[in-house]
């Protein structure tokens, strides 16, 4: 068996296009039948590193950050909902939706990686935020997500108060920024080439075919 193709996915839990991009990548991998040749690791990126603990109303946040009108936001959200539906993922945008601080979620994703459950936890947190109207900065929500993917919630949550764990996430964030990653999702193949954005399935298939051939 040749070496697996390592794909680093730099993303945030509350990034809709990261979810769409991953689901398209997942579909491309399945259609090519190369699941056993791929290794995925999620890398931390905060869309809003200065987001207060209590979060912020999503409409307010998008208006402030991007200058989008309410109409533009609704159009964009509809596009994301349609793209998600095609991939079996539900985006449930609602009026009182709030953007959340995701730093703690990234600490738990680092923990999950050590047990081979990182992708499961990532999808669980994303689903909680976008499909189930839950605040992924709250410890009870994080605890439930950990339990849902079979991780030791008590041990994992203790990492949130560890300076070492916080430093690890900050160091990784800095590494990817220094590598030039300033928008997400960014998919990095064997640390040699990268794709940014939620590319179509066919684009992922093309890149995966080339990358796995090089590996073999």
């Amino acid at each position: 068996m040749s070496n697996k193709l390592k794909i680093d996915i730099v993303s945030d839990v509350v990034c809709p296009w990261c979810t769409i991009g991953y689901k398209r990548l997942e579909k491309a991998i399945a259609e090519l039948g190369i699941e056993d040749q791929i290794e995925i690791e999620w890398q931390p990126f905060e869309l809003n590193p200065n987001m207060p603990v209590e979060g912020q109303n999503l409409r307010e946040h998008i208006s402030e950050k991007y200058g989008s009108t309410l109409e533009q936001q609704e159009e964009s959200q509809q596009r994301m909902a349609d793209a998600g539906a095609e991939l079996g993922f539900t985006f449930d945008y609602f009026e009182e939706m709030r953007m959340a601080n995701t730093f703690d979620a990234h600490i738990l994703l680092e923990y999950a990686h050590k047990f081979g459950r990182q992708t499961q936890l990532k999808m669980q947190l994303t689903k909680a935020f976008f499909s189930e109207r839950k605040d992924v900065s709250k410890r009870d929500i994080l605890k439930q997500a950990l339990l849902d993917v079979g991780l030791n919630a008590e041990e994992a949550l203790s990492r949130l108060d560890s300076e070492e764990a916080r430093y690890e996430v900050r160091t990784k964030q800095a590494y990817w920024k220094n590598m030039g990653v300033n928008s997400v999702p960014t998919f990095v193949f064997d640390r040699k080439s990268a794709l940014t954005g939620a590319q179509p399935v066919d684009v992922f298939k093309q890149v995966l075919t080339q990358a796995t051939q090089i590996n073999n």
Side-chain angles (χ1 to χ4, degrees), residues 31-86:
E31 286 181 7
L32 291 170
I34 56 170
E35 291 93 337
D36 61 340
Q37 296 176 46
I38 305 294
E39 179 194 339
I40 287 173
E41 183 173 349
W42 296 86
Q43 302 293 353
F45 186 100
E46 287 175 278
L47 287 170
N48 313 289
N50 302 314
M51 180 60 61
V53 176
E54 69 276 10
Q56 184 185 15
N57 177 277
L58 183 66
R59 288 182 174 178
E60 249 174 58
H61 172 69
I62 300 290
S63 297
E64 279 177 24
K65 188 169 182 178
Y66 304 106
S68 310
T69 64
L70 188 56
E71 192 178 12
Q72 287 169 331
Q73 288 185 45
E74 285 172 356
E75 280 173 17
S76 172
Q77 288 169 0
Q78 189 57 55
R79 273 201 311 279
M80 290 183 279
D82 292 344
E86 278 177 31

Side-chain angles (χ1 to χ4, degrees), residues 25-187:
L25 172 70
E26 184 183 48
K27 192 173 183 202
I29 291 168
E31 286 181 7
L32 291 170
I34 56 170
E35 291 93 337
D36 61 340
Q37 296 176 46
I38 305 294
E39 179 194 339
I40 287 173
E41 183 173 349
W42 296 86
Q43 302 293 353
F45 186 100
E46 287 175 278
L47 287 170
N48 313 289
N50 302 314
M51 180 60 61
V53 176
E54 69 276 10
Q56 184 185 15
N57 177 277
L58 183 66
R59 288 182 174 178
E60 249 174 58
H61 172 69
I62 300 290
S63 297
E64 279 177 24
K65 188 169 182 178
Y66 304 106
S68 310
T69 64
L70 188 56
E71 192 178 12
Q72 287 169 331
Q73 288 185 45
E74 285 172 356
E75 280 173 17
S76 172
Q77 288 169 0
Q78 189 57 55
R79 273 201 311 279
M80 290 183 279
D82 292 344
E86 278 177 31
L87 298 155
F89 187 88
T90 302
F91 285 100
D92 176 19
Y93 286 100
F94 58 102
E95 202 163 327
E96 296 308 312
M97 191 168 183
R98 295 180 75 76
M99 187 49 83
N101 182 298
T102 57
F103 191 78
D104 283 356
H106 286 298
I107 292 175
L108 298 180
L109 286 165
E110 289 300 317
Y111 172 85
H113 180 249
K114 296 172 175 64
F115 299 92
R117 298 280 172 87
Q118 200 184 28
T119 294
Q120 292 96 313
L121 182 60
K122 176 79 176 187
M123 288 299 104
Q124 197 66 33
L125 290 169
T126 298
K127 187 175 78 166
F129 182 73
F130 284 114
S131 312
E132 299 171 351
R133 302 190 172 194
K134 290 176 180 169
D135 181 346
V136 291
S137 68
K138 294 198 179 301
R139 290 206 178 186
D140 58 332
I141 302 299
L142 295 171
K143 181 180 181 179
Q144 191 56 54
L146 290 160
L147 293 171
D148 287 342
V149 300
L151 286 166
N152 182 329
E154 205 172 306
E155 184 179 80
L157 291 171
S158 73
R159 302 286 293 154
L160 300 182
D161 301 314
S162 156
E163 270 313 310
E164 183 192 345
R166 301 179 83 76
Y167 178 75
E168 184 183 2
V169 170
R170 288 200 184 96
T171 302
K172 286 196 170 189
Q173 286 177 324
Y175 171 82
W176 291 104
K177 281 201 171 151
N178 290 338
M179 292 296 285
V181 175
N182 52 28
S183 67
V184 289
T186 294
F187 301 86

